[in-house]
């Protein structure tokens, strides 16, 4: 191991309470209904506050403003209401009716200890519903990961943090900043091309991707992550066919001055060392009105793939640097948030092997570096009048993705003949530039037991440009530019015709204007096979939705749901020809149940999806990525999630998702790309099964010292890379594991964590370079067993 590379992070380890441990928070909660007040207080303090019974939501409570503990703020708010608040777990409070006082002069007893057995869970709100529907009333599948459950040691893993906790979420593994996400088996292909993603990714209120890969933003200082399963066409529009992943960062605190720094060093078996450092600071500029919060981080993931031909070790190291800044201002009842996010990922080489030897090497004559630079700026304004809330957001996102693939050299890249046997390798570069402007304004009313309504308008402008070149002199190949402008009107309403039964209906009307052109090539030559593709076109889509939820008794919910999703068409390059691909659309019917009580929560769901004119990014006969409509298909998904607290401080969880997919009506256009007889029994990257088992335990050792440990095991089932004899390569069928110990005293914490405990190789992804996939065995192993030592210090 090259231990010298750990000097920088270890030097920073002796550097000052984590914000999550602060006892007092800046709060500003107006007088009004209790349900609205606890939502505001929970959002401002990062705590979970629930109601034992829905009837408490309409109680009128006092306003609270200033620097308060959560206990103090709740006591002041509830004074004279006949209700009380109990802390039932760390960071969790339950509001219930106070018992009759038998002795008026006797003071109220102190709150029970944090780990009280048999405490009912606090009410959880699904903020991704855009009107904060309680989880028990939400008529659909959703998984919520609280920010407090994402340790610093895992925050640097980006989207893998979510996938390791949510079994319905899957990802390709081409490399950080190069992957595609899928939810509940809705997967179109393994490659990133001009098609819109099947998963809508949101950072706070703003969309962050359209026709680009997952930017893999690091999940430090996060409030929560919500994964909405199934199409979300009504609320989120195009590109949410499989669902939505929404990350909510922590907001600035108006009262608390402080922060946190951390550092860690890691050793990887069969690889080079890694390190990560970072810091958070929160600064009130004017207490109660104006505050800023900032985060910076940097890290290096050591490589573990050797190149036998070049005689190099650990070639696939990755360096990531980034930061965020947020400004919050409250004035005249308005809340104004100005946020900025930036991150750069630079990989020295690809992370695939050829499976020979110990499974951690390959033979290639050139490096295949990659880069992903992402920037986001957003402005959000909100105002609440009792049960009504007006929200407006505008955001601009920019993403630059550069990738180099090794491929055989040819005298004419546009020739239909295959490269010569044993032809020398050269680099083929693809650069994808995406610029996206989004705006959305909505008015929502939140009623009791999940009732209410919302209406909104949104506009989107996306500019995507793909340029390709080859060789050391970067000779240009045919590229493509796609432009999409969307205008949308949407709405949704939930009513309760009978106590315990809610019915939801909604719709989204979208008008998309599509244009495109050739890049780095003669326009007339590039469009010679499909001249009509040059013309601009307009698509109008109406997406209806309907849902029903029934609560026969407290804690149990049965639900059914119908929803649709779509993606507009566009232009793609196939060799030197530009051709058009059409929009696709899917419809999903889902049924499920959700139970919560006595420390146990269960969720089970089943869904059937019909998908027409499936857009998929494939590779053409030479090996370049291209896009086509591969036909119609269907996906059946079954899911089960369980969480249980059998003892104070001990939490157990388990989940299992089963998927079955089939291309029911393959398009003739896909057969030339498949190059032979093809198996259409499954869609690409749809694992037949995925599951997770997890456990976490926390206990107080005395005084301010706490010890906690957590562990998980995740299984990813069998899938195929694509369709056809070339792309139908098997992948998956592996187990990943992790374990962490944490010792915390006051404002300092020491952590020891390990991943891939069994040192499993596995095959996460059967692709490294699409231009060599015809002849080479390609597999992406898991990172070998890695042990990290970290320190966190608050100030």
């Amino acid at each position: 191991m090259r231990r010298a590379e750990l000097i920088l992070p270890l030097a920073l380890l002796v550097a000052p309470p984590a914000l999550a441990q602060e006892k007092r928070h800046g709060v500003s909660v107006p007088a009004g209904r209790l349900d609205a007040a606890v939502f505001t207080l929970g959002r401002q303090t990062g705590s979970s506050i629930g109601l034992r019974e829905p009837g408490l939501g309409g109680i009128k409570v006092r306003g609270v403003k200033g620097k308060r503990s959560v206990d103090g703020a709740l006591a002041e708010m509830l004074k004279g209401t006949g209700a009380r608040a109990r802390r039932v777990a760390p960071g969790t409070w339950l509001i219930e009716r106070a018992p009759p006082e038998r002795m008026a002069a006797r003071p109220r007893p102190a709150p029970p200890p944090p780990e009280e057995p048999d405490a009912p869970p606090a009410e959880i709100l699904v903020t991704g519903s855009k009107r904060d529907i309680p989880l028990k009333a939400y008529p659909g599948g959703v998984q919520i990961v609280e920010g407090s459950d994402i340790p610093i040691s895992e925050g640097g893993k980006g989207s893998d943090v979510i996938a390791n906790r949510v079994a319905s979420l899957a990802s390709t593994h081409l490399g950080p900043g190069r992957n595609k996400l899928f939810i509940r088996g809705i997967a179109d292909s393994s490659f990133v091309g001009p098609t819109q993603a099947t998963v809508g990714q949101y950072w706070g209120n703003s969309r962050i991707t359209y026709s680009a890969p997952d930017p893999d933003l690091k999940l430090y200082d996060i409030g929560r992550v919500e994964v909405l399963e199934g199409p979300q066409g009504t609320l989120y529009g195009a590109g949410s066919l499989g669902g939505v992943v929404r990350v909510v960062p922590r907001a600035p605190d108006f009262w608390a001055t402080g922060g946190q720094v951390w550092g860690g060093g890691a050793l990887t078996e069969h690889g080079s060392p890694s390190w990560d450092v970072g810091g958070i600071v929160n600064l009130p500029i004017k207490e109660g009105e104006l505050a800023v919060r900032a985060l910076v981080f940097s890290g290096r993931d050591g490589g573990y793939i050797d190149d036998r031909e070049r005689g190099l070790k650990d070639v696939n190291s990755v360096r990531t640097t980034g930061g965020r800044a947020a400004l919050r201002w409250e004035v005249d009842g308005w809340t104004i948030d100005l946020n900025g996010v930036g991150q750069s990922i630079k990989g020295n080489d690809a992370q695939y092997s050829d499976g020979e030897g110990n499974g951690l090497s390959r033979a290639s004559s050139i490096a295949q570096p990659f880069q992903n630079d992402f920037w986001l700026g957003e402005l959000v304004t909100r105002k609440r009048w009792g049960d009504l809330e007006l929200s407006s957001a505008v955001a601009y996102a920019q993403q630059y993705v550069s990738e180099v693939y090794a491929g055989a050299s040819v005298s004419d890249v546009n020739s239909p003949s295959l490269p010569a046997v044993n032809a020398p390798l050269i680099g083929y570069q693809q650069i994808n530039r995406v610029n996206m402007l989004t705006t959305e304004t909505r008015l929502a009313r939140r009623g009791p037991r999940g009732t209410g309504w919302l209406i909104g308008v949104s506009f989107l402008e996306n500019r995507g440009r793909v340029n390709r070149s080859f060789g050391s002199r970067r000779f240009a190949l045919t590229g493509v530019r796609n432009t999409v402008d969307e205008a949308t009107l949407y709405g949704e309403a939930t009513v309760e015709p009978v106590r315990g039964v809610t019915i939801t209906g909604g719709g989204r009307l979208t008008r998309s204007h599509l244009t495109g052109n050739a890049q780095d090539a003669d326009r007339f030559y590039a469009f010679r096979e499909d001249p009509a593709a040059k013309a601009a076109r307009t698509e109008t889509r109406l997406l209806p939705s309907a849902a029903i939820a029934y609560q026969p008794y407290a804690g149990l919910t049965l639900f059914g749901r119908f929803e649709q999703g779509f993606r507009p068409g566009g232009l793609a390059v196939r060799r030197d020809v530009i051709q058009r691909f059409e929009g696709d659309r899917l419809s999903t019917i889902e049924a499920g149940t959700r139970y919560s009580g006595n420390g146990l929560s269960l969720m089970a769901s089943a869904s059937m999806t019909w998908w027409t004119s499936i857009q998929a990014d494939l590779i053409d006969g030479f090996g370049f990525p291209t896009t086509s409509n591969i036909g119609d298909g269907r996906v059946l998904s079954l899911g089960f999630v369980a969480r249980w607290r059998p003892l104070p401080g001990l939490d157990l969880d388990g989940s299992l998702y089963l998927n079955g997919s089939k291309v029911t009506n393959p398009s003739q256009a896909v057969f030339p790309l498949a190059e032979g007889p093809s198996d259409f029994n499954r869609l690409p990257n749809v694992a037949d099964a995925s599951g997770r088992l997890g456990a976490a335990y926390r206990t107080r050792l005395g005084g301010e010292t706490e010890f906690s440990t957590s562990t998980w095991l995740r299984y990813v089932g069998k899938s195929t890379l694509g369709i056809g004899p070339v792309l139908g390569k098997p992948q998956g069928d592996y187990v990943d594991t992790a374990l962490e110990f944490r010792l915390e005293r006051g404002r300092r914490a020491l952590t020891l964590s390990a991943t891939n405990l069994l040192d499993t190789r596995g095959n996460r992804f059967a692709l490294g370079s699409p231009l060599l996939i015809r002849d080479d065995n390609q597999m992406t192993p898991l990172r070998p067993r890695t042990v990290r030592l970290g320190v966190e210090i608050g100030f």
Side-chain angles (χ1 to χ4, degrees):
M1 300 296 181
R2 296 189 285 274
R3 293 178 175 81
E5 295 186 64
L6 295 177
I7 292 177
L8 172 62
L10 292 178
L12 295 175
L13 295 184
V14 291
L19 293 176
Q21 299 297 319
E22 292 166 350
K23 302 295 185 182
R24 299 168 69 84
H25 307 266
V27 300
S28 179
V29 181
R33 286 174 56 101
L34 175 59
D35 51 9
V38 296
F39 170 73
T40 302
L41 181 63
R43 185 168 58 184
Q44 294 175 358
T45 61
S47 56
S48 295
I49 307 170
L51 309 180
R52 178 183 282 276
E53 55 186 270
L56 293 172
I59 293 177
K60 300 300 181 181
V61 296
R62 303 182 180 193
V64 182
K65 189 171 185 179
K67 199 168 185 179
R68 302 279 196 281
S69 66
V70 178
D71 284 310
L74 287 171
E76 184 174 342
M77 182 187 302
L78 296 173
K79 192 177 297 182
T81 63
R84 70 174 184 180
R86 289 194 300 129
R87 188 159 63 140
V88 296
T92 304
W93 282 259
L94 178 70
I95 296 177
E96 60 189 2
R97 299 189 187 278
E101 295 190 18
R102 299 178 181 178
M103 300 175 61
R106 189 172 182 175
R108 177 174 295 184
E115 296 173 352
E116 176 183 313
D118 302 322
E123 182 174 69
I124 300 174
L125 301 177
V126 182
T127 61
S129 65
K130 298 190 177 182
R131 50 189 175 95
D132 305 326
I133 297 176
L135 177 60
K136 62 186 178 183
Y138 183 72
V142 59
Q143 303 297 320
I144 298 175
V145 180
E146 297 294 345
S148 57
D149 294 331
I150 302 176
I152 291 291
S153 60
E154 287 194 69
K157 294 181 173 62
S159 296
D160 280 350
V161 178
I162 311 172
N164 289 336
R165 286 165 170 74
V166 179
S168 61
L169 180 68
S171 172
T172 61
H173 290 280
L174 195 58
R178 309 173 71 189
N179 299 323
K180 298 179 71 170
L181 301 182
F182 309 113
I183 296 177
R184 213 161 62 178
I186 305 300
D188 54 357
S189 68
S190 300
F191 312 99
V192 176
T195 58
Q196 191 176 359
T198 62
V199 172
Q201 290 184 257
Y202 286 77
W203 187 267
N205 292 274
S206 301
R207 181 155 196 162
I208 59 176
T209 62
Y210 189 88
S211 55
D214 167 29
D216 199 33
L217 297 178
K218 306 312 174 189
L219 301 184
Y220 298 121
D221 198 34
I222 295 302
R224 64 158 42 181
V225 178
E226 294 183 356
V227 179
L228 305 181
E229 299 173 343
Q232 306 292 323
T234 295
L235 296 183
Y236 290 94
S240 59
L241 278 69
V244 165
V245 176
R246 181 171 179 263
V247 178
V248 183
R250 292 191 185 276
D253 190 320
F254 287 128
W255 303 93
T257 300
Q260 181 184 27
V261 295
W262 73 85
L267 298 177
T268 298
E269 226 173 299
H270 323 288
S272 60
S274 305
W275 57 265
D276 60 278
V277 295
I280 307 165
V281 64
N282 189 94
L283 180 64
I285 300 174
K286 185 177 182 182
E287 287 193 345
E289 293 185 19
L290 185 65
V292 295
R293 191 180 187 97
L295 161 71
V296 293
F297 60 86
S298 184
R300 178 186 184 273
D301 296 323
Y304 52 89
I305 298 294
D306 299 337
D307 192 313
R308 301 189 303 272
E309 184 168 338
R310 290 182 290 158
L312 300 176
K313 289 187 174 297
D314 309 328
V315 297
N316 63 315
S317 61
V318 178
R319 179 70 183 268
T320 304
T321 303
R324 307 199 304 263
L327 173 72
R328 171 165 286 189
W329 183 27
E330 284 203 359
V331 54
D332 297 330
W334 289 88
T335 300
I336 301 173
D337 290 300
L338 181 63
N339 303 307
V341 180
Q343 180 177 281
S344 177
I345 299 174
K346 295 182 179 179
N348 290 334
D349 209 333
Q351 62 181 18
Y352 70 96
S353 76
D354 57 19
E356 295 188 13
N358 66 352
L360 298 174
S361 68
R362 68 172 183 270
S364 57
S365 58
I366 65 170
Q368 301 174 65
F370 58 89
Q371 179 176 345
N372 185 311
D373 295 333
F374 177 85
W375 301 92
L376 170 70
E378 71 166 354
L379 175 65
V380 182
T381 59
R382 294 189 304 273
K383 186 175 178 62
R384 183 183 289 269
W385 299 271
D387 298 333
L388 284 175
E389 183 178 59
L390 176 67
S391 175
S392 183
V394 58
Y396 179 77
Q398 185 178 78
Q399 196 167 358
Y400 170 90
V401 184
S402 172
E403 301 170 285
V404 174
Y405 297 109
S409 61
V410 293
S411 57
D412 182 4
V413 295
N414 297 320
S415 171
S417 61
L418 295 175
V421 179
N422 298 323
L425 298 183
I426 61 173
Y428 292 83
Q429 184 178 32
Q430 177 171 285
I431 296 178
N432 190 1
R433 298 176 178 88
V434 178
N435 300 276
M436 180 172 59
L437 176 67
T438 60
T439 65
E440 181 181 74
T441 299
R442 65 177 183 266
L443 180 66
R445 178 187 179 275
R446 181 188 175 205
R449 297 178 296 280
T451 60
W453 53 264
L454 70 83
I455 187 170
V457 294
S458 67
F459 301 92
L460 178 146
E461 177 185 271
N462 187 82
R463 304 286 184 264
R465 180 159 56 99
V466 177
N467 298 95
R468 294 171 175 169
S469 60
F470 73 99
S472 58
R473 297 186 179 182
R474 296 288 178 253
F475 294 106
L477 299 170
T478 303
V480 68
R481 173 177 55 82
N482 278 287
T483 300
V484 179
D485 296 290
E486 291 182 0
T488 296
L489 173 67
Y490 68 93
E492 185 180 76
T494 300
V495 297
E496 188 180 35
V498 179
R499 181 76 177 201
V501 177
T502 57
I503 298 175
T504 301
R508 188 179 189 98
L509 180 64
T510 299
R511 186 176 179 86
S512 303
H513 183 71
L514 314 170
T515 59
N517 210 337
Q519 296 282 296
D520 305 318
D522 180 78
R523 180 184 183 190
F524 296 99
Y525 182 79
F527 285 97
R528 64 187 183 277
E529 293 189 9
D530 188 7
K534 297 192 298 288
R537 57 198 181 280
T538 299
E539 298 180 6
T540 301
R541 300 288 184 105
L542 175 63
L543 301 179
S545 63
I548 184 170
Y550 171 50
Q551 298 182 54
Y553 57 85
L556 177 65
T557 303
L558 308 174
F559 62 85
R561 178 169 169 260
F562 168 79
E563 187 98 31
Q564 291 187 327
F566 85 101
R567 294 182 295 180
L571 301 179
V573 182
R574 181 179 174 189
R575 292 182 180 268
D576 61 341
V577 174
I578 293 181
Q579 59 188 17
R580 180 168 56 187
F581 58 91
E582 303 298 328
D584 58 356
R585 182 170 182 151
L586 60 71
S587 302
T588 295
I589 295 178
E590 175 184 5
T593 182
R594 188 181 291 114
Y595 170 79
S596 180
N598 300 319
L600 176 68
S601 64
L602 303 171
M603 194 279 288
S605 66
S607 65
M608 175 62 79
T609 297
W610 293 268
W611 198 351
T612 59
S613 301
I614 302 172
Q615 297 176 13
D617 296 312
L618 309 170
I619 60 172
D620 60 20
F622 181 79
F624 288 113
T626 189
T627 304
S628 182
N629 297 95
I630 65 173
D632 303 336
R634 66 170 183 263
V635 180
L636 172 65
S637 180
L638 306 175
F640 177 77
V641 180
R643 294 182 177 87
W644 183 34
R645 171 168 283 196
L647 299 170
L650 177 62
D651 293 288
L652 307 175
D653 72 86
S655 55
L656 176 66
Y657 276 80
L658 305 175
N659 297 304
S661 64
K662 184 178 181 65
V663 180
T664 57
N665 183 26
S667 168
Q668 294 297 317
V670 78
F671 286 101
L673 303 178
E675 292 188 339
S678 301
D679 179 10
F680 294 101
N681 285 329
R682 66 191 335 173
L683 289 168
N685 277 290
V686 180
D688 51 10
S690 59
R692 167 194 156 95
L693 294 173
Y697 178 70
R698 172 182 288 268
T699 186
R700 188 177 297 277
L701 300 181
E704 293 185 328
T705 304
E706 286 191 355
F707 169 77
S708 62
T709 181
S710 61
T711 184
W712 54 261
L713 176 151
R714 187 185 186 217
Y715 171 72
V716 177
K718 298 177 182 179
S719 65
T720 58
L721 178 68
I723 295 174
V726 175
L727 296 181
K729 297 181 179 296
Q731 59 187 14
D733 194 23
Y734 64 87
V735 173
D736 197 6
T737 50
L739 173 67
E740 175 167 295
F741 299 103
R742 178 183 180 89
L743 189 63
E744 186 173 345
R745 183 176 182 135
R747 300 182 174 187
R748 290 170 171 79
L750 180 68
T751 63
L752 178 65
S753 58
T755 57
N756 194 3
L757 306 177
L758 306 177
D759 202 26
T760 303
R761 293 293 173 267
N763 183 10
R764 297 186 293 170
F765 194 47
L767 178 71
S769 171
L771 286 84
L772 298 176
I773 194 172
R774 182 177 288 100
D775 303 314
D776 289 359
N777 180 36
Q778 301 179 17
M779 58 177 289
T780 304
L782 281 74
R783 172 175 285 275
R785 184 187 295 118
T786 299
V787 179
R788 177 188 182 273
L789 178 66
V791 171
E792 304 164 22
I793 305 175
F795 59 89

